[in-house]
Amino acid sequence: MTTPAASSPTPSSRPDFVAMPDLALRSLGGAAVWTNDDLFAEVENLITPAPAEYRPSTFGHRGQIYDGWETRRRRSPDGGAPEATAVDQAIVRLGVPGIIHGVVVDTSWFVGNYPPTVSVEAATVEGHPSADEVANSAQWQTIVERSEVGGDRHNPFAVESTDLFTHVRLSIYPDGGVARLRVHGRGVPDPAMLGHGSFDLAALENGGMITDCSNMFYGSPNNLLMPGRARSMGEGWETSRRRDDANDWVQVRLADEGVPGLVELDTSYFLGNAPGAARVQGRNAGGEWFDVLEHTVLQPDTRHRFVVEGVGPMTEARVDIYPDGGMARFRLFGALTDAGRDEVDRRWSSGDN
């Protein structure tokens, strides 16, 4: 028997927010910190970066092994069907605190065992609390009302709140399985951490965000702004091969207004498909573009670092690669201006993004 591939939104039906970073990813520092039940499949699978896989006829002691989170079948006290209010829950700490623009409750491969309805809440918790403290003391705000979901598909929900959150809680009614939980939004740096070391103006965890891109055929441009070093070519941004006279590019909204001092263009793991050259431009608050790094030849599988001097304040960056290819990471180290620092303070306090 052939099992069909899990359904996913077509490009025309995919909501805009899914192009934003997934703040809950394990590779970004996210963690599944608490659940009341994960007897059949571990809750940690919810934030695995890769899409869920189907594993035919893979049975363990507790039944079919699913690439997702799955709870046991609930029963009422008399052994019958559970009440409508019965619920299983999982709490995820975001890898980067931020403003949530939408979530996707992905039920890929769950067909006869997905929850009929779900809801999502979010909370802001300071410091480094224990899982029990989060579960028992957090003040939760509903960001997705209880809603119906389908099995073996991506179920997207836009979020209207502009508050800043550190944790989300997924509730499934009454039980069942969810493959992945994606929490799309923009990170906001903690003002208390600013000014105590090198600051990457473009980093996703500091609020940097891809706003436009010419091509992302083989890899998402969001990978450019991920923390740490890439561990393979698959963890970078890669375009298809160009057959014209144009070039590929990516545009980044910075954490806020800042002055750069060091550019890093990392082509690690890209050997026969690294760009031949690159150029970096900045855009100031008035909308004017200027060169940060002029057209510069790049080498394959190399971490390039360039000191830049005399560059004015900028709020956006654009990286042009010539003519196409792949890059592992883009870093723009510098310092926020006073105006940029004030804006970060305001966003952290108000959640306005």
Side-chain angles (χ1 to χ4, degrees):
M1 177 179 178
T2 301
T3 301
S7 59
S8 59
T10 61
S12 61
S13 65
R14 188 178 296 122
D16 291 341
F17 68 74
V18 300
M20 304 183 77
D22 180 359
L23 303 180
L25 283 181
R26 183 182 305 281
S27 52
L28 193 57
V33 298
W34 180 91
T35 184
N36 65 309
D37 188 292
D38 61 352
L39 185 134
F40 285 120
E42 297 178 347
V43 69
E44 288 82 3
N45 291 330
L46 282 175
I47 55 174
T48 299
E53 297 179 346
Y54 176 66
R55 303 167 182 171
S57 301
T58 49
F59 285 89
H61 177 68
R62 298 182 179 182
Q64 168 70 32
I65 298 173
Y66 276 90
D67 184 10
W69 168 51
E70 186 183 9
T71 70
R72 75 191 73 201
R73 300 189 188 212
R74 278 185 170 269
R75 298 287 185 258
S76 66
D78 63 1
E83 298 178 355
T85 55
V87 61
D88 283 326
Q89 296 179 314
I91 296 176
V92 171
R93 184 190 69 230
L94 300 181
V96 175
I99 315 301
I100 300 172
H101 288 251
V103 301
V104 177
V105 180
D106 180 0
T107 58
S108 293
W109 311 116
F110 288 91
V111 181
N113 50 352
Y114 65 91
T117 59
V118 304
S119 65
V120 182
E121 300 159 285
T124 304
V125 185
E126 296 183 357
H128 303 88
S130 68
D132 288 339
E133 288 175 321
V134 175
N136 297 324
S137 303
Q139 301 298 308
W140 297 99
Q141 174 183 322
T142 299
I143 58 174
V144 176
E145 298 287 349
R146 184 170 176 177
S147 307
E148 293 184 357
V149 295
D152 193 26
R153 69 189 62 185
H154 297 73
N155 297 276
F157 300 95
V159 173
E160 300 299 328
S161 174
T162 58
D163 291 339
L164 180 142
F165 297 115
T166 61
H167 294 71
V168 294
R169 181 168 69 182
L170 171 64
S171 297
I172 60 175
Y173 306 87
D175 53 40
V178 174
R180 299 288 188 265
L181 176 65
R182 303 306 191 198
V183 184
H184 296 279
R186 185 187 182 193
V188 178
D190 184 345
M193 301 297 173
L194 302 180
H196 298 285
S198 299
F199 186 73
D200 184 356
L201 296 166
L204 191 153
E205 59 187 336
N206 290 334
M209 186 172 67
I210 301 295
T211 55
D212 206 354
C213 176
S214 63
N215 185 288
M216 49 182 171
F217 188 87
Y218 289 113
S220 170
N222 283 316
N223 291 338
L224 290 173
L225 312 184
M226 293 289 282
R229 301 289 302 277
R231 295 168 295 180
S232 71
M233 190 171 63
E235 293 187 0
W237 166 56
E238 185 180 1
T239 73
S240 56
R241 301 190 186 205
R242 278 195 170 268
R243 305 303 186 193
D244 55 26
D245 295 329
N247 69 282
D248 286 317
W249 51 268
V250 65
Q251 192 164 313
V252 182
R253 183 167 68 177
L254 304 181
D256 215 278
E257 185 182 72
V259 177
L262 181 74
V263 173
E264 181 175 311
L265 301 174
D266 186 357
T267 60
S268 293
Y269 298 101
F270 290 90
L271 297 171
N273 49 357
R279 177 191 184 195
V280 179
Q281 299 177 79
R283 189 180 193 182
N284 60 28
E288 298 176 350
W289 288 96
F290 52 86
D291 274 340
V292 176
L293 180 71
E294 296 181 348
H295 188 283
T296 302
V297 173
L298 299 183
Q299 302 300 322
D301 197 20
T302 300
R303 187 183 182 193
H304 307 79
R305 310 190 88 191
F306 306 97
V307 173
V308 293
E309 298 177 327
V311 178
M314 51 191 286
T315 58
E316 295 179 77
R318 170 172 163 142
V319 181
D320 283 83
I321 60 173
Y322 301 92
D324 53 35
M327 188 173 294
R329 295 288 186 267
F330 167 61
R331 307 294 190 209
L332 191 65
F333 294 102
L336 291 171
T337 63
D338 290 342
R341 174 64 184 264
D342 290 344
E343 181 63 17
V344 168
D345 286 337
R346 186 189 68 80
R347 288 208 310 271
W348 184 268
S349 300
S350 68
D352 182 7
N353 210 42

